[in-house]
Amino acid sequence: MIRIGIVGVNYGRTVLLPAFRADARCEVVALAGSDESRTAEHAQAVNVRKAYGDWRALIEDDGVDAVAIATVPSLQTQIALAALAAGKPVFAEKPMASTLDEARTMLDAADASGLPTGIDFNFHEIMAWQRAKAMLDEGAIGKLRHVTVHWHVENYAIQNRMRNWKTLRDDGGGVLGNFISHCFHYLEWFVGPLSGLQARVGGLPGDDALDTTVAMALQYASGSLASLSMSCASFRGSGHCIEFYGEDGTLVLDNRTADYMRGFQLSHAKRPGELTPVPVEDPADAGQPDGRIAPASRLAAKFIDCLASKPRYKPNAAPGFAAGFRVQRLIDAAQRSNREGRFVDVAPGDLK
């Protein structure tokens, strides 16, 4: 039995805990939070044996085999480095770190350790997205012309003018870290490597410190273009829609609901026909209290696949720290583009 310790008692408790518990090969044995008594209450409520008020104690626990992290980006680097140094594989949150240098340090440490790593980029584990990817790979729309992303919602942090990592760029977050990190990962997962981008990032009227909105033009290494419009400050926004346009057809993933994971509808049109729904079901999501659990459970299972092969670990779970670093490089490129007002090239295979 693989023993998992989770650092973070919000998302870590509500999503990662049930996600790992879905795999019979592992057991969540410990939680760590910033407040020991509160963490103990949470652990007791979800039947986890150990609770720590300091993440260091969890990592030092010989009864923990691997560490899952669900903290703010500014804390993740030191936690991940300590876990790897202790010989414990790491499943981390997105974005990987607060800065590109921190992400590079994490990747170097993971490579040197030879330990499995994972990153919680979970959108691509939605079953409708898996079906869309398979259809694209099978040539359902022919040669790709271009991709559009339109993601407009109003999240809780912006509704309440909260000043935390989800809204402030200085803590590794804001709209780029919280939302666009997902977009960068899935745009490359669907179609292939990006080669450059131009981005503009904005805030709220009278409060530019809160990063809320991005307009971006991107180019793939293949030559195809993509456009992205995203805002987490869109009252009654239209939701999350990704459109793939090809020589022979169109493929659309569209979610008009308030649930980030549930609600995606897949549609396909083959020239000269009309858009037609493509039915997709996810039995693993049935009855789950949170739409993020089923996708996260599939990522957790891939991570456990690697751990279960100890002492000769299987190739790293996908996405791992290399994917996290790649996204961090794209975030850095978007930040530079916004500052300098220019198109920024990003080598498709550039991990260092």
Side-chain angles (χ1 to χ4, degrees):
M1 182 68 70
I2 298 166
R3 299 164 298 181
I4 305 293
I6 297 177
V7 180
V9 294
N10 292 318
Y11 182 86
R13 171 177 53 90
T14 59
V15 177
L16 293 186
L17 172 63
F20 277 101
R21 278 182 167 169
D23 195 312
R25 297 171 296 174
C26 70
E27 178 187 5
V28 177
V29 298
L31 294 179
S34 57
D35 183 295
E36 187 170 4
S37 62
R38 178 170 169 265
T39 303
E41 291 175 2
H42 284 314
Q44 184 176 18
V46 294
N47 197 29
V48 173
R49 296 198 306 269
K50 300 176 183 178
Y52 296 106
D54 188 327
W55 57 264
R56 296 169 185 83
L58 182 145
I59 289 174
E60 292 168 0
D61 186 342
D62 290 337
V64 171
D65 299 316
V67 177
I69 307 172
T71 69
V72 298
S74 59
L75 287 178
Q76 184 154 253
T77 298
Q78 57 182 313
I79 298 171
L81 293 177
L84 292 169
K88 301 185 179 185
V90 176
F91 184 91
E93 261 308 307
K94 63 81 205 166
M96 187 171 174
S98 293
T99 67
L100 184 61
D101 286 343
E102 288 179 355
R104 183 182 290 108
T105 300
M106 290 171 66
L107 177 60
D108 288 344
D111 288 346
S113 73
L115 295 169
T117 59
I119 295 280
D120 192 21
F121 291 119
N122 47 16
F123 274 98
H124 74 285
E125 292 293 347
I126 298 170
M127 294 309 294
W129 292 48
Q130 291 279 328
R131 181 70 181 117
K133 169 66 171 169
M135 292 178 70
L136 288 170
D137 290 347
E138 292 162 2
I141 65 171
K143 186 174 177 59
L144 182 70
R145 288 179 171 178
H146 60 97
V147 181
T148 68
V149 176
H150 189 86
W151 190 0
H152 283 261
V153 295
E154 186 179 52
N155 67 343
Y156 180 83
I158 292 300
Q159 287 173 2
N160 293 276
R161 300 293 179 110
M162 297 171 67
R163 309 185 84 80
N164 57 25
W165 82 269
K166 294 183 178 181
T167 61
L168 299 173
R169 69 183 73 94
D170 293 338
D171 203 18
V175 67
L176 290 175
N178 193 21
F179 290 96
I180 302 302
S181 58
H182 280 299
C183 298
F184 283 145
H185 178 260
Y186 70 59
L187 281 169
E188 293 202 321
W189 178 77
F190 272 124
V191 176
L194 294 162
S195 60
L197 58 85
Q198 184 155 7
R200 296 297 293 169
V201 183
L204 295 177
D207 195 350
D208 284 340
L210 298 183
D211 273 359
T212 64
T213 304
V214 175
M216 196 177 304
L218 310 100
Q219 184 165 25
Y220 282 101
S222 65
S224 297
L225 300 180
S227 61
L228 185 154
S229 171
M230 195 282 149
S231 178
C232 57
S234 301
F235 176 65
R236 296 288 186 259
S238 57
H240 192 176
C241 181
I242 311 164
E243 299 167 324
F244 303 90
Y245 295 100
E247 286 286 287
D248 302 328
T250 296
L251 198 65
V252 178
L253 279 165
D254 192 16
N255 181 4
R256 303 282 172 166
T257 76
D259 191 310
Y260 287 162
M261 296 284 154
R262 292 183 176 130
F264 277 98
Q265 302 296 315
L266 177 62
S267 301
H268 175 235
K270 188 78 170 179
R271 193 185 297 275
E274 300 292 327
L275 275 173
T276 303
V278 178
V280 182
E281 295 183 0
D282 185 0
D285 186 46
Q288 293 286 8
D290 190 309
R292 298 170 294 181
I293 293 173
S297 71
R298 288 186 274 272
L299 286 176
K302 292 177 180 178
F303 183 63
I304 297 300
D305 283 344
C306 295
L307 272 58
S309 62
K310 185 180 179 181
R312 295 179 60 86
Y313 290 118
K314 291 181 181 179
N316 199 52
F321 277 14
F325 181 80
R326 171 64 179 174
V327 167
Q328 201 78 40
R329 179 167 286 285
L330 291 166
I331 291 173
D332 182 73
Q335 291 168 336
R336 284 190 286 128
S337 175
N338 182 61
R339 287 194 307 268
E340 300 169 11
R342 65 179 181 89
F343 189 91
V344 174
D345 292 315
V346 183
D350 185 7
L351 285 180
K352 295 294 181 81

